Structure formats: structure tokens, C-alpha cells
Amino acid sequence: MRGKDNMRTAAEVLVDQLRVHGVRHVFCVPGESYLAVLDALYDSDLAVTVCRQEGGAAMMAEAIGKATGRPGVCFVTRGPGATNASPAIHIARQDSTPLIVFVGQVARDAREREAFQELDYRAVFGSMTKWVTEVDDPARVPEIVSRAFHTAANGRPGPVVVSLPEDFLTERVAVSDAPAYAPIETTPGPAEMARLAQLLAAARSPMLILGGSRWSQQASDGVGRFAQKFALPVCTTFRRLHLFDALNPCYAGDLGIGPNPKLVERIKSSDLVVLLGGRLGELPSQSYTLLDIPRPQMTFVHVHPGAEELGRVYSPHLAIHATPTAFAAALEQLDPRSLRGQGEAAHADYLAWTDKATEQPGGVNLGAIMVWLRENLPADAILCNGAGNYAAWIHRFFRFRRFAQHVAPTSGSMGYGVPAAVAMKRLYPDRPVVCVAGDGDFLMNGQEFATAVQYGLPLVILIADNGIYGTIRMHQEREYPGRIIATELRNPDFAAYARAFGGFGAEVTRTAAFPEAFAAARASGKPAIIRLAIDPEAITPVTTLGKIRAKSLADRAAP
Ligand SMILES: Cc1ncc(C[n+]2csc(CCOP(=O)(O)OP(=O)(O)O)c2C)c(N)n1
Ligand SMILES: [Mg+2]
């Protein structure tokens, strides 16, 4: 409770700083180490979501950072609370997402004794974060929190961890609030844009690749208009499909796992590649085979908000240190008159690749369900997922139309979809939210279904249940055919699981039954789980487990 002397506790100052910096949602699992912060939240108007595991809470905050571009915030307790939160910190790092994790710490006079649950956060999170710190002077809370927001959100965004010793949180202090942080837009220089115009005008087969963070709907629309004007083909990197309207006549598809071979060919044979916002990491670069390292084989322009990313892997012919938002605005002013790309042909390839679901073994065709969802979900619906082979059908067949319509980890962390869906439904109560999860993936954070029930969040979770850790089984059959170990799963009754938590549960064993089950899930008004009975043979949209095993055996038998 706030004192009458105009002094605030460090915890109260901290919560007031969150408000100053525009935070609306806080995710947490409580701990005795930061009771004073919880008490300060009691008096604030911030929406607090209490979760079942810090892994879920921190991923929810990360999802907020992804969808809004502003730091997501979570509070976890010391030691085990902090280590449970580490998957989300790693995701925020690899996905370039602004995230601030506040962690309880032992009292200042007990530090360095390995007190109860004590951890050296600088050592533990040092290589995973942009910044880790421990505050111990209440008067410096406004300064430290302000730096945390600036650091997490600016340049290449990423995670920040702030450790809060328990005893310091209740100390009273007279200190002023910091001003609100503002995102710093790094804009391209006129000489760089002039050079880019020359390169584009001279190119015969250019390609624009979009990735990374620091985007907005406006930036995506701006790039879309520029592309259309000059028929410039545009593709997206792994799990960044939402950065461009899939039905823009220049959209060429996404560079993920199992991309359209025609797209890969088109990029390899292009004479100019402009990479906007992304790092072109291992997955989109097709295991670093797409562009030569360090000097790409074609003229290569890299636009990135983090100066340290320019020249880190690829040595660009032209490096532009700019945020995608600022670059998109500058791009609209650019006039490379003679530019005429192959946008229409690239888009025709994309449409043909994604038009119809491929044939699959078993009663439920996940591709057909994605096609149904893309045709029947309202335009403002959000899709969330984690990692597993099931996601291949989302990437291939769902056509994302707007920014942040897809919330999923480029870092390939399982267990992300359920917490992300909870966060999206908390943030946007009026927008339909669908989570697609694998059976393995779902149970890594399935406990957060309880959080959805607790807050009355009617999201719909589709569990693609094939009874296996399918991705790993696929690799296993390729490398060690027939030697199946540790990839089979005996699953619970997922529909009954949903009902036991107080939600809606259903099961679909035939594709044709899906629309009715989906309608019933939505009509229930409750958080819902629909189990999809997927044949384990249906391992990717283009092949089966049996075929992978047979090929591997045949390759081994060959002299
Ligand atoms: C946290 C985490 N642990 C392990 C992995 C390795 N991994 C990647 S996909 C996968 C299996 C996913 O299984 P499931 O969710 O059932 O999807 P499926 O591949 O069967 O469609 C595993 C274990 C990972 N990516 N992330
Ligand atoms: Mg599975």
C-alpha cells in the first residue's frame, strides 16, 4: 500500500515506470521474492495474467512483444522461476523480440552465500540477452527500467533480464518517474537510397526478401505498393509470412523448411537480392546454401536495424542501417524507372504451390483444414503455433494477409502456441485466435489451457495428434531407418483433457467433419480443444514416413 509521505517503495516506483512506458499487460507466476511488486500491481490498472508455469508466462510476454513491437513484460521468481522462463528468453533472442523479464532475487545481505534459490543472473543469462542487470538502489529504478525498455526495443530488439533483490523492493524513496521511452527509427541516408535505385534499375531479376522484426502494417503496405509498381517479387523468411499480404500480385512465397523449389531457384538465379529486416539465418538460407558466404554470388543489399548484423554473416555490396518501418517509408519515394521484375510469374508459382491440399494418408488432411481455415476465418483472425512437422501445412497452405496475424517462433521452440494464443486473446479479446499444436508440442505448455479457462478466453486449439514426435521420427527414419526409439507417444484423451479443465473438447477423425466441430467449438464460448486424428504416415505435405524409410534403406543397400 502506498504511504502517506509521498514516498514510494521501489516496487511501487517500478510498477509506475511500467505504466509510464505504456505497458498494459503483465504475465507472471507469483513468488515470495517479489511480493512487494504484486502488492504494487494490486493498486495499478495493469492487466495481470497469472500463469501455471513461468515457461508459459514468459512466452506470453514474448508474444506480446512480437505482435506489438513494444516490450512484453513478465515477472518470475528467483532460481527455478527464472530458469523456467529461459525458453522465452532464447526465443526473444533468436526472433529479435523486445522482452523484459523481471526476476526476484535474494535479499542484498544474503547475496553470494548461495542463499535459497539464489542465482547469478548475469552469468546465467549473459549470452542469451541484450542486457542483464541487478538493481539495488531504489532511487535508480526509473533509470534502470528506462534503459531496459530502450535496450529491449531499439536497434535489433531482444530480451532484457532485470533482477530485483527482495529487500530492496520495500525500501521507500522519493524519486521522479522517467519519461516514456520512444522507439528510435534509424533512417536510410539519401546516398544509400540513390545507390539502391541504381542497383534496382540495373537489375534484370531482382528479389526482395522480408524478415526480422520492427515491422508494422503500414510498412508492409508500403513495401507492397512499391513491389506492385515495379513488379518486384517479394518473399518472406521462415515464420515471417505475416510481413506481406499473400495475395499481393508480387508475393513469391516463404523461405522455410521445404519451400517451393521454384522460389529457391528464382532466388539463386537472381542478380540482385535485397534482404530487408532479417538475418537470413540457417533455416531460411536453406542451411546456408542460398547465398555464398561471406560474399553472396549476386549483388546483395542488406537493410537491418542492428548495425552489428550488417556484415556479420553476409558481406553486402550495399549495407543500409535502417529499421524496416523507416526503410519502407523511404522506399515509397524511390523511383528506379527502368525496373521491371518478374513479380507476376513469381506469384503464379506461389499460387500454384499453395492452391490445393496435397493427397495424404489417413482420414484427416491437415492441408485441407488449412485451406478451409484460410477461406473461412475472418480477416482479423490470429494463428499461433509452436514447433513440429504439423506446422509445415500452416506455412504452405494458410495465406496470411496482415501484419502479426501469425505468432510463432522462428527459433523453433516447442510449446509456444498455447501461451501465445492466450496472450493474443488477452490482448485482442474480440479477434478470433486459433492455436495449431502438435501432440508433443501441445503438452510442453498445455497447462496454460487452465489460464485460458481462468480468464474466460474462448480460443480454439487444434491438436494435430499423430502419436509421435514426428519431426524427430522423420529424421530418425532418414538417418537410422527402422530403428525407432524415443519418438513414440502415448497421449491422453485430449478432448476429455479440455473438458476436465472446464473447456470444450471434440475430436475429428474425418476432414469433412472439421467445419462442424470448429463451429461447435466457437459456439461453446469456451476455450476449446479439437483433437485431429492425423495418420503418422502423413509426415510432410509431400512425402510419407514409409517413403523416407524405404529411400534410406535403398540408399544404404546401394553399392
Ligand atoms: C523445446 C524443444 N524441444 C525439443 C525440440 C526438438 N523437436 C523439434 S520438433 C519435435 C517433435 C514435435 O512433435 P509434435 O509436436 O508431436 O509435432 P509433429 O512433428 O509430430 O507434427 C521435437 C522433439 C524442439 N524443437 N523444441
Ligand atoms: Mg506429433
Side-chain angles (χ1 to χ4, degrees):
M1 281 221 319
R2 194 149 289 193
K4 295 193 178 73
D5 53 1
N6 240 347
M7 305 262 278
R8 294 177 288 179
T9 64
E12 288 164 349
V13 176
L14 170 57
V15 169
D16 286 347
Q17 302 319 292
L18 298 182
R19 296 188 70 251
V20 163
H21 294 299
V23 174
R24 301 293 314 131
H25 287 269
V26 163
F27 300 87
C28 71
V29 173
E32 66 273 37
S33 58
Y34 70 94
L35 277 180
V37 175
L38 292 173
D39 192 67
L41 286 166
Y42 184 90
D43 286 326
S44 85
D45 57 358
L46 297 184
V48 176
T49 303
V50 62
C51 304
R52 300 305 175 116
Q53 219 262 25
E54 291 84 355
M59 285 185 197
M60 289 180 204
E62 199 277 348
I64 297 276
K66 260 200 177 77
T68 64
R70 302 181 68 86
V73 172
C74 76
F75 282 87
V76 299
T77 199
R78 55 200 167 192
T83 49
N84 273 350
S86 63
I89 296 172
H90 183 256
I91 295 169
R93 170 82 192 194
Q94 291 230 312
D95 289 30
S96 309
T97 311
L99 169 70
I100 304 177
V101 179
F102 291 98
V103 191
Q105 176 61 306
V106 302
R108 284 168 293 185
D109 60 2
R111 280 186 300 202
E112 302 285 347
R113 291 178 178 162
E114 198 180 336
F116 182 61
Q117 299 180 338
E118 184 180 357
L119 208 57
D120 176 348
Y121 299 110
R122 288 191 179 93
V124 172
F125 293 119
S127 67
M128 252 199 270
T129 51
K130 280 187 84 177
W131 187 44
V132 196
T133 192
E134 189 159 293
V135 211
D136 50 17
D137 178 357
R140 294 189 63 187
V141 170
E143 170 199 342
I144 300 292
V145 176
S146 170
R147 179 170 166 193
F149 275 83
H150 282 91
T151 304
N154 284 324
R156 176 184 168 192
V160 168
V161 169
V162 181
S163 155
L164 310 165
E166 182 179 348
D167 62 318
F168 122 103
L169 286 171
T170 52
E171 236 174 64
R172 304 183 86 76
V173 64
V175 66
S176 309
D177 291 341
Y181 94 99
I184 298 163
E185 292 291 344
T186 325
T187 43
E192 291 163 336
M193 291 312 277
R195 179 74 189 126
L196 177 62
Q198 283 172 352
L199 293 175
L200 282 167
R204 299 188 155 275
S205 50
M207 172 65 77
L208 180 54
I209 305 179
L210 313 183
S213 58
R214 306 216 55 184
W215 280 89
S216 64
Q217 185 64 54
Q218 207 185 353
S220 174
D221 292 344
V223 173
R225 282 188 292 269
F226 180 83
Q228 258 183 276
K229 210 154 123 193
F230 298 103
L232 178 63
V234 179
C235 67
T236 49
T237 57
F238 180 59
R239 295 212 168 122
R240 302 290 192 186
L241 294 89
H242 66 101
L243 296 181
F244 204 69
D245 178 357
L247 294 186
N248 181 300
C250 291
Y251 187 55
D254 79 301
L255 269 177
I257 303 167
N260 186 349
K262 287 190 175 170
L263 172 61
V264 173
E265 211 23 68
R266 194 177 282 285
I267 296 171
K268 281 189 169 164
S269 62
S270 58
D271 59 355
L272 171 68
V273 165
V274 179
L275 172 60
L276 171 51
R279 295 184 291 123
L280 205 69
E282 183 174 353
L283 296 190
S285 70
Q286 311 299 303
S287 303
Y288 299 112
T289 62
L290 203 58
L291 307 189
D292 290 347
I293 296 172
R295 182 39 74 97
Q297 63 274 35
M298 69 287 283
T299 305
F300 180 64
V301 180
H302 196 179
V303 186
H304 200 282
E308 67 286 354
E309 291 303 323
L310 295 164
R312 178 179 172 182
V313 179
Y314 307 99
S315 172
H317 296 81
L318 173 62
I320 301 181
H321 180 207
T323 55
T325 33
F327 179 82
L331 196 61
E332 285 205 84
Q333 310 307 317
L334 206 67
D335 190 8
R337 288 168 193 285
S338 52
L339 173 61
R340 186 86 209 144
Q342 289 85 37
E344 292 92 350
H347 190 56
D349 289 347
Y350 165 74
L351 290 178
W353 176 249
T354 57
D355 184 34
K356 281 195 188 62
T358 48
E359 292 287 315
Q360 304 271 227
V364 178
N365 184 325
L366 202 47
I369 288 178
M370 289 307 137
V371 170
W372 187 87
L373 287 172
R374 88 179 180 210
E375 283 164 5
N376 288 280
L377 279 180
D380 63 345
I382 300 172
L383 237 76
C384 303
N385 64 268
N389 264 33
Y390 70 88
W393 284 269
I394 307 174
H395 300 150
R396 173 126 174 213
F397 296 110
F398 195 89
R399 291 174 177 163
F400 293 94
R401 306 293 313 276
R402 41 195 276 198
F403 175 70
Q405 197 185 7
H406 190 201
V407 182
T410 70
S411 73
S413 188
M414 290 170 72
Y416 185 84
V418 177
V422 170
M424 289 304 100
K425 202 67 190 165
R426 280 292 265 165
L427 188 62
Y428 305 117
D430 299 329
R431 293 175 64 176
V433 175
V434 176
C435 164
V436 188
D439 47 339
D441 178 47
F442 172 77
L443 276 180
M444 281 211 186
N445 270 321
Q447 79 283 346
E448 301 306 339
F449 191 68
T451 309
V453 171
Q454 181 161 343
Y455 290 92
L457 308 174
L459 43 84
V460 181
I461 300 172
L462 310 179
I463 301 181
D465 181 2
N466 57 2
I468 52 174
Y469 281 129
T471 306
I472 311 308
R473 176 70 178 278
M474 172 182 75
H475 292 301
Q476 198 163 56
E477 293 286 6
R478 197 188 57 231
E479 302 295 329
Y480 303 97
R483 293 171 61 82
I484 299 160
I485 181 167
T487 50
E488 290 173 304
L489 297 171
R490 178 167 169 180
N491 284 321
D493 176 339
F494 286 117
Y497 176 107
R499 289 191 287 270
F501 277 66
F504 170 94
E507 194 164 24
V508 165
T509 54
R510 288 176 305 110
T511 307
F514 179 76
E516 200 182 319
F518 192 75
R522 297 220 33 210
S524 76
K526 296 177 182 174
I529 291 176
I530 301 175
R531 172 192 179 252
L532 307 174
I534 303 291
D535 189 324
E537 272 298 310
I539 198 66
T540 79
V542 292
T543 192
T544 64
L545 268 186
K547 281 187 192 157
I548 291 172
R549 181 193 292 195
K551 178 174 184 314
S552 181
L553 288 172
D555 289 350
R556 262 147 241 265

